[in-house]
């Protein structure tokens, strides 16, 4: 197997671990949303990388027997991008409401305010 030719999977792994680290290690809610978006982008790249067919063409039927690429993964990723944008907007709206209610977006400070005295 050509390890250098699989660089896109290394990029996917790096982005996935970076996004996971940001979500787990950071207490700021906005940074957590950014980490989720990085993680989500790595999944998009993984699906697109796996959908690539060597010497594949657009699925337009012609007379000769050619290899076609399946357009379904690309359509699913377009749908996932739209859902991701909507989820990010909802998450940021919730962060704004949390900031108004608690005066902070740091997770530890929010937990401290919720604990009974």
């Amino acid at each position: 197997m050509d390890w250098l030719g699989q660089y896109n999977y290394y990029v996917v792994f790096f982005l996935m671990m970076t996004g996971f680290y940001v979500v787990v290690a950071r207490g700021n809610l906005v940074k957590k949303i950014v980490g989720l978006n990085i993680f989500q982008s790595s999944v998009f790249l993984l699906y697109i990388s796996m959908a690539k067919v060597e010497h594949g063409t657009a699925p337009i039927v012609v007379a000769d027997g050619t290899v076609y690429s399946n357009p379904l993964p690309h359509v699913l990723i377009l749908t996932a991008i739209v859902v991701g944008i909507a989820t990010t907007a909802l998450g940021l709206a919730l962060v704004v409401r949390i900031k108004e209610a608690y005066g902070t977006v740091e997770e530890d400070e929010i937990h401290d305010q919720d604990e009974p005295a």
Side-chain angles (χ1 to χ4, degrees):
M1 179 173 251
D2 182 23
W3 294 103
L4 192 57
Q6 304 294 331
Y7 67 91
N8 50 347
Y9 295 109
Y10 296 125
V11 172
V12 166
F13 180 76
F14 175 75
L15 287 174
M16 193 172 284
M17 290 301 108
T18 302
F20 182 70
Y21 174 76
V22 170
V23 169
V24 172
R26 302 290 182 229
N28 190 322
L29 296 177
V30 176
K31 290 181 182 178
K32 285 183 182 283
I33 291 175
V34 170
L36 284 173
N37 283 331
I38 293 171
F39 192 92
Q40 186 179 32
S41 298
S42 71
V43 174
F44 296 162
L45 186 61
L46 177 67
Y47 271 79
I48 296 297
S49 296
M50 291 188 330
K52 173 69 176 111
V53 175
E54 189 77 23
H55 305 295
T57 63
I60 300 171
V61 179
V62 293
D64 62 343
T66 59
V67 177
Y68 300 115
S69 293
N70 188 0
L72 185 63
H74 302 285
V75 172
L76 290 174
I77 293 305
L78 284 174
T79 306
I81 289 170
V82 172
V83 171
I85 290 170
T87 305
T88 301
L90 178 66
L92 290 174
L94 287 173
V95 169
V96 168
R97 295 291 295 164
I98 290 170
K99 172 75 173 170
E100 290 174 358
Y102 291 96
T104 184
V105 292
E106 293 295 327
E107 190 176 12
D108 294 337
E109 295 175 13
I110 293 170
H111 286 299
D112 289 342
Q113 290 181 18
D114 279 343
E115 290 180 358

